[in-house]
């Protein structure tokens, strides 16, 4: 770990301004991802701006009938919120499928969105990694890739975005609200937040440098049954091999987003047209253009089979109702 | 005291304290966080500095240059130790690995340097400024590719002969009406114990004291003396508490050497711990095995030919994983053959991990038995029972001292409801889940070795036991206390147990599941001495004296035990040594594992639903501690079956998933209700304690029982551990 300085601003505007003032600084929220990366010297900020005291920790209704989730709302509080559980069950379930109780108490909404990949080579600073050191190469290609991306990857990086919460937010059409150093606000649809690696895998989102996430908004509830199925090598406390977030309406239409397959939660509205037909045709469209490695091509079959399972589960829930 | 004839009646038979489920006597210290581990002697060893190990960034080659200037000038830095200034270092005796690289690098993350600084953060920051230039060489990392170059190793100190032949295996196999010939692989596995390797070293003149976390203090003293080239007499090792070892902390590893060298260099105490990501490639692991098993049988299920061959790899000088050990004696069969082969690999050193040899060997053999039973169309429990033997199949004149394998299988089958098993795989459904059950036998040697102790009685009637035995979380403190209490006829509350200090009498240490039986026998011997002293003090004939309820009685005389020490403490010290009984008798522990799993019919996820183990392991000294050993081992077995694998990057030459996020072990949600049945037994051929170890038995066979249950659920046989869904998903029938 490199030595760093630290400050704790008291408003979002101060925080954003501080980031502008000190080049090489980073925001720290729960710290559950950033501190691990700093200890391993994968992230080396010279200055930490602790946003724990800036507020932004409420869940409030929006005028459009949705919810506005403050960037600092903890994963635990968000998953337990009655409004979320009633109208956005997918989000609550995805959160509870992630990490552990202790981590979720600390982890925040914005921090969760921006958690970094779990590619094992990214974590070992002796190995080449274009994401960590641009231009150094990619040790995962031709190496151990079982957990890595099967779609949207490039010859420069095949890492996945590892999180669960964002998969649900992708299916829910969430929007990310930010302010920049000058205090200017903007709103970014989550589908435009994450970038595919291309030849710049170190640039993971379309946020500007020092842009502060202030909230995530959810549009008015869309109803339906909400299922999050996370498939992993052990029953809990592991990142997804793949995960499927499904919102299924009574008529068989719905939305689906997939985790663990790409550098972002994977969704394609055009594939969702096929949901009433079943998992096979939906997956075919959704995963078209996949470029898996030998070690991880099983994920394609797994996506289809898991989708088949959750569709069946969803339908049976309507039958029970 | 020498034990060379089967034990007769003795005070331990009373079982007033022994055999009772006493709580851990050190439990409150652990649950309140006041038990001190190797890295925590801050008050006792003040003025310490921190050492931080830099691991090699390459897998094979040499160090061309280490640029130290930036690190040296970094704040707080006191010294930088490398091979260039460490002085001559030799390998230890148990581990073959060199504890400091240079000029050659033998494997990834081998220690290249130790940076010593005032604070941990300063040491770590400076370590990252060290720039090391390497010259890479081509290494061998792929066991499959090296199989042809593997040789039959020389017989070693542990693990039995590398090659055994009885009768005519090839002929009998060729003519057997039913045959199985399959190959199984068990990957490299990590001990993944909770407490990382850690040490605090202090020199006073040429005397070195090291607070450390190792299982065998006697080996530790020997090996550290060897490595540093100093006298054994000048070394004191202290390991009061150990946060898990599983064989991964057998003796001295790089943390202890780094702390010792650093403390000498800076002239003050230094502590060093291995950061978690370093442990997997820097220290030892259970090496991968490729195992070929052939079984020939008659249609009635009698095995006529059985063979087991196993390949493993290691660094030069490293041991062979003796995966064939169990096949030599578990089942009958007139014609048999086993063969171990060893290849040179440039990965970290492979060495002992819980039930070395037997655990991976039985992961293969017990799937093979399941496959053979299916070919024979015989129930797998029946098939095992049919091929039971009461003598060593390699030496028919050598009976098992006690062997209740058949009873374990029958008891387990009854309790588990085995008869409800559907022998046709893939047919039991529960919603979206497929259900299956599996069985496996368990066997693990019951080694016993010399062990000494000292017991001291004071005027308050308190008896203090001292031995350099360790407690790696197993319950040694408690069973040693129970032994002394039983022998001296007092309650456990009168006993103080002091362990883990090499200045105490030399014990067996903890390893190879020999600790419980050996160390308590040493305490027994010391107590026999103390009883003599006490009897003498009262002018009694010890053979007629009865020690009970804090009293010593003989005829109509009765004395209070504490009065014997009214003037001065009475001390008894002795060592238990052994004769030839282990040659006359095959001494082993046995068991049976039954497992029910659910496999998701669509996704292939596996959930273990029920586990039952039946164990036969001599006299059970403390059923609560024994049960803990069993359920911990069963948990580890689920890990071995379903998730544990050190993944080798064969291009770069290292274990890629070198942290606890990448190397998955079971979490609570993976482990269902675990039931354990401990069979009544007492084995007088072992020692006066009539006990055997149980800590490793619980692991052996578990993974195969899980594998067999998965097969029963899915109808897809996986022979390559761990059984992850990518290995069978495409072969699983898809439900509609
Ligand atoms: C052992 C372990 C297991 C885990 N398992 C899972 C899992 O199964 N599923 C899962 O989804 N996640 C998992 N996680 C990841 C966990 O969800 C994240 O670590 C957590 O959500 C990050 O939130 P945080 O508030 O602690 O972020 P921090 O670590 O504080 O920050 C993360 C990043 O976000 C940036 N950031 C934070 N807040 C803002 C803001 N308001 N504006 C702009 N940038 C910001 C920081 O600068 C940093 O780059 C696991 C983590 C651990 C350690
Ligand atoms: S896949 Fe991406 S993160 Fe992983 S090593 Fe390659 S470049 Fe780095």
């Amino acid at each position: 770990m490199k030595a760093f300085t630290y400050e704790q601003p008291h408003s979002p505007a101060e925080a954003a301004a501080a980031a502008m003032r000190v080049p090489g600084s980073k925001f720290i929220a729960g710290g559950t991802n950033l501190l691990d990366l700093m200890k391993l010297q994968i992230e080396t900020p010279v200055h930490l701006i602790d946003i724990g005291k800036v507020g932004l920790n409420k869940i409030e209704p929006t005028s459009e009938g949705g919810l506005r989730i403050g960037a600092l709302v903890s994963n635990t509080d968000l998953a337990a919120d009655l409004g979320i559980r009633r109208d956005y069950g997918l989000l609550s379930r995805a959160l509870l499928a992630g990490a552990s109780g202790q981590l979720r108490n600390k982890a925040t909404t914005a921090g969760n969105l921006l958690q970094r990949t779990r590619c094992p080579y990214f974590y070992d600073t002796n190995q080449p990694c274009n994401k960590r050191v641009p231009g150094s190469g990619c040790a995962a290609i031709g190496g151990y890739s079982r957990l890595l991306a099967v779609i949207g990857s490039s010859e420069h990086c095949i890492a996945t975005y590892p999180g669960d919460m964002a998969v649900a937010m992708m299916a829910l059409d969430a929007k990310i609200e930010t302010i920049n150093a000058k205090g200017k606000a903007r709103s970014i649809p989550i589908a435009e937040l994450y970038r595919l690696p291309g030849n710049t895998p170190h640039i993971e989102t379309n946020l500007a440098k020092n842009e502060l996430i202030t909230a995530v908004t959810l549009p008015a509830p869309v109803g339906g049954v909400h299922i999050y199925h996370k498939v992993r090598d052990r029953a809990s406390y592991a990142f997804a091999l793949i995960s499927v977030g499904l919102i299924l309406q009574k008529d068989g239409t719905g939305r689906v987003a997939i985790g663990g397959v790409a550098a972002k939660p994977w969704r394609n509205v055009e594939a969702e047209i096929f949901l009433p037909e079943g998992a096979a045709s939906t997956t075919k469209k959704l995963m078209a253009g996949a470029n898996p490695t030998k070690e991880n091509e099983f994920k394609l079959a797994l996506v289809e089979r898991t989708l088949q399972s959750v569709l069946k589960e969803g339908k049976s829930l309507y039958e029970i109702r | 005291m020498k034990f060379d004839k089967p034990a007769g009646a003795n005070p331990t038979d009373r079982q007033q304290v022994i055999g009772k489920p006493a709580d851990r006597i050190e439990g409150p210290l652990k649950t309140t966080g006041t038990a001190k581990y190797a890295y925590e002697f801050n008050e006792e060893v003040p003025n310490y500095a921190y050492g931080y190990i830099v691991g090699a960034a390459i897998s094979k080659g040499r160090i061309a240059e280490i640029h130290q200037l930036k690190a040296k000038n970094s704040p707080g830095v006191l010294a930088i130790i490398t091979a260039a200034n460490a002085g001559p270092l030799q390998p230890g005796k148990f581990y073959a690995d060199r504890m400091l690289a240079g000029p050659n690098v033998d494997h990834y993350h081998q220690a290249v340097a130790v940076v010593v600084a005032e604070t941990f953060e300063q040491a770590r920051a400076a370590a990252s400024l060290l720039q090391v230039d390497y010259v890479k060489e081509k290494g061998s990392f792929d066991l499959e590719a090296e199989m042809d170059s593997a040789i039959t190793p020389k017989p070693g100190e542990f693990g039995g002969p590398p090659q055994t032949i009885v009768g005519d295996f090839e002929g009998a196999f060729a003519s057997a009406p039913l045959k199985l010939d399959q190959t199984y692989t068990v990957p490299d596995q990590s001990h993944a114990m909770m407490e990382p390797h850690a040490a605090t070293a202090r020199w006073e003149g040429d005397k070195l004291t090291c607070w450390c976390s190792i299982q065998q203090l006697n080996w530790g003293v020997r090996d550290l003396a060897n490595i540093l080239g100093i006298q054994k007499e000048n070394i004191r090792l202290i390991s009061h508490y150990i946060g898990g070892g599983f064989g991964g902390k057998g003796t001295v590893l790089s943390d202890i050497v780094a702390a010792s060298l650093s403390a000498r260099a800076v002239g003050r105490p230094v502590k060093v711990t291995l950061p978690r990501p370093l442990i997997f490639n820097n220290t030892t692991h259970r090496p991968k095995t490729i195992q070929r098993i052939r079984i020939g049988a008659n249609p009635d299920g009698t095995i006529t030919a059985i063979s087991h061959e196993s390949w493993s790899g290691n660094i030069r000088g490293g041991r062979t994983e003796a995966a064939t050990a169990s096949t030599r004696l578990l089942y009958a069969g007139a014609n048999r053959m086993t063969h171990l082969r060893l290849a040179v690999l440039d990965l970290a050193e492979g060495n002992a991990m819980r039930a070395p040899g037997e655990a991976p060997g039985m992961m293969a053999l017990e799937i093979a038995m399941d496959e053979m039973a299916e070919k024979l169309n015989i129930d797998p429990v029946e098939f095992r029972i049919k091929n039971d033997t009461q003598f060593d199949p390699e030496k028919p004149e050598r009976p098992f001292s006690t062997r209740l394998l058949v009873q374990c299988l029958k008891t387990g089958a009854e309790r588990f409801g085995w008869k409800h098993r559907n022998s046709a795989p893939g047919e039991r459904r529960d919603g979206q889940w497929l259900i299956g059950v599996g069985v496996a036998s368990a066997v693990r040697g019951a080694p016993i070795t010399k062990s000494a102790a000292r017991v001291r009685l004071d005027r308050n009637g308190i008896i203090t036991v001292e031995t350099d035995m360790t407690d790696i979380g197993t319950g040694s403190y408690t069973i040693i206390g129970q032994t002394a209490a039983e022998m001296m006829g007092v309650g456990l509350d009168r006993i103080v147990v002091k362990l883990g200090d090499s200045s105490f009498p030399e014990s067996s240490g903890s390893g190879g599941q020999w600790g419980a039986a050996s160390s308590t026998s040493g305490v027994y011997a010391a107590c026999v001495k103390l009883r003599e002293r006490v009897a003498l003090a009262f002018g009694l004939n010890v053979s007629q004296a009865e020690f009970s309820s804090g009293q010593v009685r003989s005829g109509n005389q009765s004395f209070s035990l504490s009065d014997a020490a009214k003037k001065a403490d009475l001390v008894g010290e002795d060592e238990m040594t052994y004769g030839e009984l282990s040659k006359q008798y095959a001494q082993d522990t046995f068991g049976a594992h039954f497992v029910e799993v659910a496999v998701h019919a669509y996704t292939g996820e596996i959930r273990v639903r029920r586990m039952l183990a039946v164990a036969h392991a001599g006299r059970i000294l403390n059923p609560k501690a024994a049960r803990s050993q069993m359920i911990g081992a069963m948990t580890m077995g689920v890990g071995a079956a379903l998730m544990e694998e050190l993944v080798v990057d064969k291009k770069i030459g290292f274990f890629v998933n070198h942290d606890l996020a990448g190397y998955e072990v079971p979490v609570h949600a993976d482990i269902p209700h675990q039931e354990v049945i401990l069979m009544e037994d007492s084995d007088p051929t072992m020692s006066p304690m009539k006990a055997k170890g149980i800590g490793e038995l619980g692991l052996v066979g578990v993974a195969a029982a899980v594998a067999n249950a998965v097969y029963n659920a899915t109808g897809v046989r996986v022979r390559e551990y761990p059984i992850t869904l990518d290995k069978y998903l495409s072969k699983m029938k898809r439900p509609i």
Side-chain angles (χ1 to χ4, degrees):
Chain A
M1 189 185 267
K2 287 242 165 91
F4 57 88
T5 52
Y6 172 90
E7 75 179 291
Q8 197 173 49
H10 287 88
S11 72
E14 273 178 56
M20 182 75 162
R21 201 178 62 242
V22 191
S25 62
K26 279 211 92 125
F27 302 118
I28 180 165
T32 59
N33 191 218
L34 184 58
L35 286 179
D36 281 2
L37 294 168
M38 286 171 65
K39 288 178 197 164
L40 295 167
Q41 230 153 282
I42 295 159
E43 299 255 25
T44 52
V46 298
H47 183 67
L48 286 187
I49 302 160
D50 181 347
I51 55 177
K53 293 260 155 73
V54 301
L56 304 179
N57 51 6
K58 291 197 183 58
I59 304 172
E60 302 155 323
T62 62
S63 50
E64 289 82 31
L67 287 178
R68 184 167 190 278
I69 304 159
L72 272 296
V73 172
S74 78
N75 289 179
T76 298
D77 289 346
L78 184 56
D81 182 83
L82 279 181
I84 297 288
R85 284 167 59 191
R86 189 183 54 233
D87 295 328
Y88 308 93
L90 182 61
L91 180 56
S92 186
R93 292 186 179 116
L95 280 160
L96 294 176
S100 67
Q102 294 94 324
L103 283 158
R104 294 194 297 267
N105 288 342
K106 246 352 230 168
T108 65
T109 306
N112 194 324
L113 282 174
L114 298 186
Q115 64 176 292
R116 305 198 68 191
T117 186
R118 295 280 161 174
C119 169
Y121 299 92
F122 174 73
Y123 271 82
D124 186 334
T125 49
N126 290 325
Q127 306 309 331
C129 169
N130 289 325
K131 192 186 268 306
R132 189 169 18 81
V133 183
S136 62
C138 170
I141 295 175
Y144 174 53
S145 60
R146 177 172 177 265
L147 305 169
L148 303 184
V150 293
I151 195 162
S153 60
S154 74
E155 58 183 353
H156 302 284
C157 179
I158 56 172
T160 56
Y161 170 79
D164 294 296
M165 182 191 78
V167 178
M169 286 185 170
M170 188 71 110
L172 291 166
D173 283 333
K175 286 203 173 82
I176 317 301
E177 293 186 359
T178 68
I179 56 169
N180 70 10
K182 297 197 182 99
K184 191 166 175 303
R186 68 165 173 152
S187 170
I188 311 160
I190 189 166
E192 288 162 31
L193 178 67
Y194 301 103
R195 293 163 56 108
L196 291 178
N199 54 16
T200 54
H202 58 292
I203 307 174
E204 293 169 353
T205 70
N206 288 318
L207 294 179
K209 220 174 174 177
N210 307 335
E211 197 168 349
L212 178 76
I213 298 179
T214 51
V216 175
T217 55
L218 299 176
V222 295
V225 300
H226 291 209
I227 301 173
Y228 189 73
H229 194 135
K230 179 177 179 183
V231 183
R232 41 192 156 171
D233 287 326
R234 65 181 171 192
S236 176
Y237 204 38
F239 289 92
L241 291 171
I242 65 111
S243 64
V244 176
L246 174 73
I247 300 174
L248 185 67
Q249 304 297 345
K250 194 160 189 190
D251 61 4
T253 62
R255 302 175 179 191
V256 61
I258 311 287
V261 294
K264 60 179 185 182
W266 201 253
R267 186 177 170 200
N268 178 350
V269 197
E270 283 163 35
E272 289 166 2
I273 298 164
F274 294 93
L275 274 174
E277 277 178 33
S281 41
T282 310
T283 308
K284 194 166 166 221
K285 181 76 185 168
L286 183 58
M287 302 305 285
N291 51 353
T293 67
K294 239 180 96 153
E295 275 182 6
N296 66 24
E297 64 183 345
F298 76 93
K299 287 189 175 189
L300 294 173
L302 188 55
V303 166
E304 185 186 325
R305 294 179 72 125
T306 309
L307 181 56
Q308 192 187 357
S309 162
V310 292
L311 283 171
K312 195 176 157 76
E313 187 186 336
K315 282 182 194 133
S316 68
L317 286 173
Y318 279 111
E319 280 156 25
I320 294 167
R321 282 182 188 180
Chain B
M1 179 180 277
K2 183 157 185 180
F3 182 76
D4 50 11
K5 283 189 283 303
N10 69 51
T12 65
D13 296 335
R14 295 184 294 189
Q15 303 228 53
Q16 282 167 356
V17 193
I18 286 175
K20 296 281 183 287
D23 290 343
R24 303 255 167 138
I25 57 183
E26 83 288 14
L29 294 179
K30 289 184 174 166
T31 48
T32 55
T34 43
K36 287 209 175 184
Y37 290 80
Y39 205 64
E40 300 177 331
F41 287 85
N42 299 351
E43 292 80 31
E44 295 81 350
V45 196
N47 190 33
Y48 51 85
Y50 289 85
Y52 194 87
I53 293 181
V54 178
I58 63 164
S59 304
K60 190 176 165 66
R62 67 189 167 77
I63 301 166
E65 202 178 339
I66 305 182
H67 305 276
Q68 302 190 7
L69 200 61
K70 270 199 203 147
K72 268 198 175 131
N73 294 334
S74 184
V77 170
L78 301 168
I80 296 172
I81 317 291
T82 66
N85 64 2
L89 297 176
Q90 302 300 322
K93 285 235 161 71
F94 188 70
Y95 295 132
D97 194 15
R98 296 185 308 134
M99 294 300 133
L100 200 53
N104 292 331
V105 171
D106 307 321
H107 59 86
Y108 193 69
H109 275 174
Q110 189 175 31
V112 162
V114 193
V115 178
V116 191
E118 293 288 347
T119 70
F120 174 78
E121 288 74 16
Q122 287 172 334
R124 182 172 58 181
S128 73
L129 298 174
L130 217 59
Q131 193 200 322
V132 187
D133 298 341
Y134 298 98
V135 181
K136 278 193 202 174
E137 284 165 30
K138 203 173 140 346
S140 307
F141 311 112
D142 182 358
L143 181 59
E144 266 90 1
E146 300 303 323
M147 278 173 82
D148 289 343
S149 72
I151 55 147
T152 305
K154 288 203 202 70
E157 192 183 341
F158 304 94
Q163 234 179 325
T164 61
I165 299 170
V166 176
D168 169 21
F169 168 76
E170 296 291 347
F173 183 72
S175 61
L178 285 137
K179 301 192 233 289
L180 171 102
D181 180 353
Q182 283 295 356
T183 299
Y184 307 85
T185 60
V186 178
D188 297 285
Q189 295 174 338
S190 177
H191 311 85
M193 73 296 280
M194 196 57 93
E195 181 206 24
H197 302 72
T200 306
R202 178 178 70 194
W203 291 84
E204 286 155 313
D206 53 8
K207 301 252 186 248
L208 170 63
T209 305
C210 201
W211 289 259
C212 56
S213 183
I214 63 172
Q215 301 172 220
Q216 299 273 159
L217 292 185
N218 52 352
W219 296 359
V221 170
R222 175 198 69 194
D223 291 351
L224 192 55
N226 230 50
I227 292 168
L228 299 178
I230 63 175
Q231 297 296 315
K232 271 166 60 168
E233 292 67 36
N234 288 338
I235 298 175
R236 180 175 172 201
L237 299 182
I238 297 172
S239 269
H240 293 322
Y241 302 105
I242 296 172
F246 308 119
K249 294 177 179 165
T251 162
V252 174
L253 283 164
S254 62
D255 55 316
I256 295 179
V257 176
S260 302
L261 293 172
S262 304
R264 187 160 65 186
V266 301
R268 42 192 274 216
V270 171
K271 51 188 194 175
V272 173
T273 186
L274 299 187
R276 183 69 65 181
L278 203 70
I279 291 177
F280 300 79
N281 287 282
N282 175 277
T283 71
T284 65
H285 65 282
R286 188 200 300 287
K288 172 173 176 165
T289 45
I290 300 173
Q291 306 179 41
R292 180 185 184 197
I293 293 180
R294 285 177 283 171
I295 303 174
N298 289 332
D300 71 350
T302 313
I303 294 177
T304 55
I306 184 163
S307 80
H308 192 161
E309 296 161 84
S310 176
W311 287 257
S312 61
N314 216 331
I315 58 168
R316 260 171 230 288
R319 288 168 213 285
T320 313
E321 182 72 15
T324 56
S326 309
T327 310
R328 293 175 51 210
L329 51 75
L330 187 54
Y331 299 116
N335 303 286
R336 34 207 321 132
M337 181 273 274
T338 70
H339 196 170
L340 296 171
R341 293 185 191 80
L342 179 65
V344 175
L345 291 181
D346 300 300
L347 295 166
E349 177 169 5
N351 208 302
M353 176 164 147
R354 201 174 196 172
E358 281 134 318
M362 288 286 280
M363 287 170 77
L365 177 64
E366 289 297 286
I367 298 185
M369 288 295 285
D370 202 61
E371 295 199 64
M372 194 67 196
E374 190 177 31
K375 272 183 202 277
L376 290 158
N377 198 19
I378 298 180
D379 180 274
V381 172
E382 280 310 307
F383 180 47
R384 287 172 171 87
I385 290 174
K386 183 154 189 85
N387 289 287
D388 184 51
T389 170
Q390 290 295 316
F391 55 83
D392 178 351
E394 289 176 4
K395 291 196 192 83
E397 70 284 3
R398 183 174 178 246
F400 285 97
S401 55
T402 60
R403 169 169 164 136
L404 300 180
L405 175 63
V406 170
Q407 290 83 339
C408 289
L409 286 161
K410 285 186 172 160
T411 306
E414 175 68 31
R415 178 73 70 99
F416 190 75
W418 182 254
K419 64 173 187 276
H420 304 299
R421 164 181 182 263
N422 185 349
S423 59
E427 297 202 339
R428 248 179 89 194
R429 274 288 283 274
D430 178 359
Q432 294 202 0
W433 298 84
L434 296 160
I435 311 300
V437 293
V439 64
S441 300
V443 60
R444 165 75 179 128
I448 194 157
T449 191
K450 68 183 167 77
S451 193
R454 182 161 57 225
V455 281
R456 180 189 309 272
L457 171 70
D458 73 13
R459 64 160 70 101
N460 300 317
I462 299 294
I463 296 158
T464 304
V465 188
E466 292 174 330
T467 166
D468 81 357
M469 179 61 186
T470 51
D471 189 323
I472 60 174
T474 44
S476 309
Y477 275 102
T478 312
I479 56 169
I480 282 173
Q482 286 174 281
T483 303
E486 189 80 63
M487 287 298 288
M488 301 312 296
V490 298
L492 195 49
D493 61 341
R494 306 268 86 193
I495 308 289
V496 174
V497 183
K498 294 188 171 172
L499 302 182
D501 186 330
S502 68
S503 65
F504 295 155
E506 180 177 334
S507 75
S508 58
S510 302
Q513 108 168 355
W514 69 16
S518 305
S519 68
T520 55
S521 296
V523 174
Y524 175 98
C527 287
V528 167
K529 278 271 156 64
L530 182 59
R531 287 164 63 103
E532 288 168 9
R533 294 272 148 82
V534 170
L536 191 67
F538 294 132
L540 302 176
N541 179 344
V542 71
S543 63
Q544 272 142 34
E546 196 209 336
F547 289 68
S548 150
S549 310
Q551 300 288 311
V552 187
R553 294 192 195 90
S554 183
N556 50 13
Q557 288 177 289
S558 179
F559 302 92
S560 172
L561 178 65
S562 54
D563 285 349
K566 221 186 298 183
K567 292 208 196 78
D569 291 359
L570 289 189
V571 177
E573 178 169 347
D574 200 5
E575 180 179 53
M576 185 67 82
T577 60
Y578 295 88
E580 305 276 282
L581 285 174
S582 65
K583 295 209 175 86
Q584 290 166 33
Y585 295 95
Q587 296 168 323
D588 291 88
T589 57
F590 296 91
H593 291 284
F594 293 82
V595 172
E596 178 178 305
V597 301
V599 182
H600 199 283
Y602 295 85
T603 66
E605 292 156 282
I606 300 174
R607 298 286 178 266
V608 179
R609 286 193 164 188
R610 283 196 294 148
M611 300 182 82
L612 166 69
V614 187
H616 169 232
R619 174 185 277 164
I620 300 300
L621 300 171
N622 178 330
K624 194 173 179 187
R627 180 174 187 277
S628 287
Q629 286 297 294
M630 288 296 296
I631 62 176
M634 288 153 76
T635 303
M636 201 171 199
V638 170
L642 301 182
M643 60 197 86
E644 292 189 40
E645 174 177 17
L646 284 169
V647 178
V648 181
D649 182 313
K650 292 168 188 164
K651 251 183 1 195
I652 301 172
F654 75 135
F655 300 127
V656 189
N657 50 339
H658 54 77
D659 59 29
L660 288 179
Y663 187 84
E664 289 182 14
V665 297
V667 294
H668 280 96
D670 291 299
I671 302 303
H673 179 68
Q674 296 171 312
E675 194 181 350
V676 178
I677 299 173
L678 301 168
M679 300 290 265
E680 284 282 333
D681 186 33
S682 111
D683 187 339
T685 73
M686 290 294 298
S687 83
M689 298 302 295
K690 305 173 186 176
K692 294 170 173 174
I694 197 167
E696 300 190 339
L697 174 68
L699 172 61
V700 178
V702 179
V706 174
N708 295 337
V710 171
Y711 171 74
N712 184 240
T714 62
V716 185
R717 186 67 78 175
V718 179
R719 300 185 182 86
E720 194 183 330
Y721 290 100
I723 305 170
T724 49
L725 58 88
D726 43 327
K727 292 177 184 154
Y728 55 83
L729 195 63
S730 63
K731 298 184 195 118
M732 248 170 83
K733 274 201 311 265
R734 177 124 48 128
I736 17 114

